[in-house]
Amino acid sequence: MLNIATIIIAVCAVILTSYQVFSTNYHNRISSLPLIQSGVAILEDGGIMLYFENAGNGPAIVTGFEAAGEKVVSVRPLITDFLKHNNLKGKEVSLLTTELSARMIIKAGDQLAIATLYPKNTDSESYKAIAFIIESLPVTLCYISLYQDELYVTTSQKYVRDDSCAFEGATNILGTWIKFKMPFSSKVDQSKIFGN
């Protein structure tokens, strides 16, 4: 009888220790998770900036960037095409854009400007058109944490296409995207953390 009690206590100790290790690892992942947010800022000089900001505690490693549902490295070609299609001259504005290379790192607390529009004349048609694009452009940024947790942020869920990096590794079941994970994996699930 004493042998059975010893075995039961040992098994319980192993189970509790395993659970504690799993919980500690999950807590470490959550506490160093990057939290990328997108936003548009109106600058003091009348400029407009589209940016991503890491409000989390860990660095975000960029794995993909999409604008208007297309995989791109910069929003400049989209804005240039828009100006050409609408016969607008971009000479009344100064536009700075960032090229997002693979594996770019956004450190905790850092802000990354995707597009910044500086006006030479705020009444020009080009300025108003580009300002409208920057304020309403749907962008998606896919990134991973130091623990390789796959996360993403988007300004508009309805412009995220099925082949988006946001749904990489996910399965569409009755209109809902679901990512399956290994049974004993401590991988962070974005829907549980950010509610999307």
Side-chain angles (χ1 to χ4, degrees):
M1 191 66 142
L2 187 60
N3 291 341
I4 294 173
T6 305
I7 291 172
I8 291 172
I9 291 172
V11 167
C12 289
V14 168
I15 291 171
L16 289 174
T17 303
S18 299
Y19 177 75
Q20 183 65 36
V21 167
F22 179 83
S23 296
T24 302
N25 185 22
Y26 192 74
H27 178 267
N28 290 343
R29 283 176 178 268
I30 296 296
S31 62
S32 65
L33 202 64
L35 172 59
I36 301 293
Q37 300 171 333
S38 64
V40 176
I42 307 297
L43 307 176
E44 291 179 9
D45 59 359
I48 297 174
M49 179 174 65
L50 173 65
Y51 66 89
F52 289 116
E53 182 176 10
N54 186 352
N57 295 324
I61 304 165
V62 176
T63 58
F65 176 57
E66 299 166 5
E70 295 183 26
K71 294 178 182 183
V72 295
V73 293
S74 172
V75 297
R76 183 173 289 278
L78 293 172
I79 294 172
T80 304
D81 288 346
F82 177 82
L83 291 174
K84 283 180 186 174
H85 285 78
N86 291 292
N87 294 323
L88 295 169
K89 296 179 178 121
K91 294 181 180 172
E92 299 101 6
V93 296
S94 177
L95 179 66
L96 298 175
T97 57
T98 301
E99 195 168 292
L100 276 83
S101 59
R103 298 305 212 201
M104 175 184 265
I105 295 175
I106 306 173
K107 293 188 275 185
D110 278 2
Q111 191 178 75
L112 176 67
I114 301 303
T116 308
L117 175 66
Y118 296 102
K120 294 178 184 172
N121 177 8
T122 56
D123 292 330
S124 73
E125 285 187 42
S126 296
Y127 172 78
K128 291 177 183 175
I130 297 173
F132 174 76
I133 291 173
I134 289 176
E135 290 175 349
S136 60
L137 185 67
V139 291
T140 300
L141 182 77
C142 296
Y143 59 99
I144 58 173
S145 70
L146 288 175
Y147 288 98
Q148 305 297 308
D149 298 310
E150 298 169 351
L151 308 160
Y152 71 93
V153 63
T154 184
T155 55
S156 178
Q157 194 70 37
K158 66 181 179 180
Y159 289 103
V160 179
R161 295 182 356 187
D162 290 352
D163 61 345
S164 171
C165 61
F167 300 133
E168 203 165 285
T171 305
N172 190 344
I173 300 175
L174 301 173
T176 303
W177 289 95
I178 299 171
K179 276 192 182 185
F180 297 100
K181 64 180 187 177
M182 298 296 288
F184 300 107
S185 169
S186 60
K187 197 168 196 173
V188 175
D189 183 6
Q190 175 157 335
S191 61
K192 288 182 181 174
I193 303 302
F194 304 124
N196 60 356

